[in-house]
Amino acid sequence: MDLPTAREVIHSHHGDDQVTLTYDARFLRRKVLTATSGAQFLVDLAQTSSVGGGDAFKLSDGRLIEVIPATETLLEVTGDLPRLAWHIGNRHTPCQVEDNRLLIQMDHVLRDMLEKLGADLRQVEAPFTPEGGAYGHGRTHGHSH
């Protein structure tokens, strides 16, 4: 069976269907995905790419499949945010920066470090959309950007 194929990601807040993906699953090059409707499609991008909420896979049959960030178990960090953000960033950890909190993926080593730094920590369920790389859109590899 030939599946509709997505070879392109476009920015579109509208889709004919949706696919809900975790942060880790939104970093892909080639994979069969299942949309909310149950329809399957093949993602076959030229290179590994980071896709986010508001992006859509453009299928070979013309449909757009909108990407929805999935709810994940995260660690909410509050306290001295500039200082805590520096320590998180110094470990090259993806971090969602908000006015009154930071969100990171669950990690017992970071949790221990942040507790020692005086952070207030709480496990939460939320979509994870961390800041993109400073040298390109979304996640980047290496320094050739």
Side-chain angles (χ1 to χ4, degrees):
M1 173 172 94
D2 287 333
L3 295 175
T5 301
R7 297 188 196 286
E8 181 181 4
V9 176
I10 64 169
H11 192 70
S12 172
H13 286 285
H14 168 75
D16 302 299
D17 205 342
Q18 298 176 332
V19 63
T20 302
L21 300 170
T22 64
Y23 173 70
D24 289 338
R26 293 191 318 262
F27 194 57
L28 72 166
R29 190 194 81 69
R30 190 167 203 276
K31 187 172 186 173
V32 173
L33 298 177
T34 303
T36 303
S37 68
Q40 290 190 316
F41 62 98
L42 172 66
V43 174
D44 189 12
L45 304 174
Q47 62 188 23
T48 302
S49 300
S50 179
V51 295
D55 289 339
F57 295 107
K58 185 175 181 181
L59 301 185
S60 52
D61 63 11
R63 288 180 293 156
L64 295 179
I65 308 296
E66 182 182 356
V67 176
I68 305 295
T71 297
E72 304 183 49
T73 302
L74 303 171
L75 188 60
E76 178 186 74
V77 180
T78 57
D80 183 358
L81 294 184
R83 180 172 170 258
L84 297 169
W86 186 91
H87 284 282
I88 291 168
N90 191 45
R91 279 138 187 96
H92 302 276
T93 300
C95 182
Q96 183 172 325
V97 178
E98 298 180 0
D99 288 340
N100 298 315
R101 69 179 185 171
L102 306 172
L103 293 174
I104 61 172
Q105 293 173 309
M106 294 298 292
D107 181 295
H108 73 279
V109 172
L110 288 175
R111 181 182 197 105
D112 290 346
M113 175 199 73
L114 292 164
E115 283 175 343
K116 289 176 182 166
L117 291 168
D120 294 315
L121 305 172
R122 181 172 72 106
Q123 183 174 308
V124 298
E125 300 291 323
F128 188 48
T129 55
E131 291 292 314
Y135 299 103
H137 175 72
R139 294 170 252 193
T140 56
H141 282 293
H143 298 280
S144 61
H145 23 58

